[in-house]
Amino acid sequence: MLALVTNDDGIRSPGLAVLARVAHRAGYDVVVAAPERESSGASAALHGAEEDGRLRIDEVRAPGLPDAVRSLAVAADPALIAFVAAYGAFGAKPDVLLSGVNRGPNVGNAVLHSGTVGAALSATSLGIRSMAVSLDAADPAHWETAEEVAEHAFAWFHGTDLGRRTLNVNVPDVAPAELEGLRQAPLATFGAVHARLAREDEAGGVLVTYEGTERATEPDSDAGLLARGWATATLLVAPWADTSLEVPPLARNMVGG
């Protein structure tokens, strides 16, 4: 069994080692393939840097990895890493993809813009079971809490048929003894940040500013529970066609000739 570990924080992030250890202890062979530099906000973009038509990949050791884990820095967005992995870029097609542990939460509708979640959703759409994990701090102090929660979630995840679902996990940056537990949660309306737009003067531009979401307004959402010390688990559905609503057809006469 092969697990691919990636992220959008870059190859130097200690969050990679957290998920690599979790998968390694579960009996998986592990390959780390992460962006050579931070790719936050990349969503499911497929950008990469090529040299002579080849995607640039270098052997770079991520910090704290188990000795047996291969580690690669890839000049690409996380979703492209997931994409090429599905076609054998790093060996056999992975059985699972673990994305993270991200520095900062990935909650609410803002997960649409996350490179961490984008990689996981891309992998799911390519037939690879995927889990994304994020820690609620820009400079986390409690990676051990993320590891405990990730191990618990992975024990359920890797033995469960999720179909086209991706598991998105968020962990508060608290000591293990202060963690309330893990709860399944719906997405908050906004997420970690939302934007405010203001029209500029005669230049015609638009000023965009970002503000933190007031999490207390949705206490039972993923953002609200995370703020109250709970780790959250949310199942996201990879892109699929919804046929529950019928779009009226347009018929046109076809003239042969």
Side-chain angles (χ1 to χ4, degrees), residues 94-123:
D95 297 286
V96 298
L97 177 138
L98 304 181
S99 188
V101 174
N102 188 66
R103 289 176 288 196
N106 277 306
V107 294
N109 292 341
V111 299
L112 175 68
H113 309 293
S114 165
T116 298
V117 177
L121 287 171
S122 296

Side-chain angles (χ1 to χ4, degrees), residues 118-217:
L121 287 171
S122 296
T124 300
S125 70
L126 292 164
I128 303 170
R129 290 181 296 135
S130 303
M131 180 174 81
V133 182
S134 303
L135 191 53
D136 189 16
D139 186 16
H142 298 288
W143 294 103
E144 73 279 11
T145 306
E147 188 161 346
E148 178 183 337
V149 173
E151 188 151 35
H152 171 83
F154 189 69
W156 172 79
F157 159 84
H158 85 102
T160 304
D161 182 5
L162 297 182
R164 295 184 64 83
R165 301 176 186 87
T166 293
L167 181 60
N168 184 42
V169 176
N170 283 277
V171 184
D173 188 32
V174 298
E178 298 172 4
L179 179 70
E180 293 288 345
L182 173 71
R183 286 176 57 180
Q184 188 166 352
L187 293 175
T189 303
F190 292 107
V193 295
H194 66 277
R196 292 175 63 88
L197 302 182
R199 288 288 174 188
E200 289 278 45
D201 50 23
E202 300 81 36
V206 175
L207 176 66
V208 183
T209 58
Y210 296 92
E211 301 176 344
T213 296
E214 177 50 62
R215 301 186 187 187
T217 60

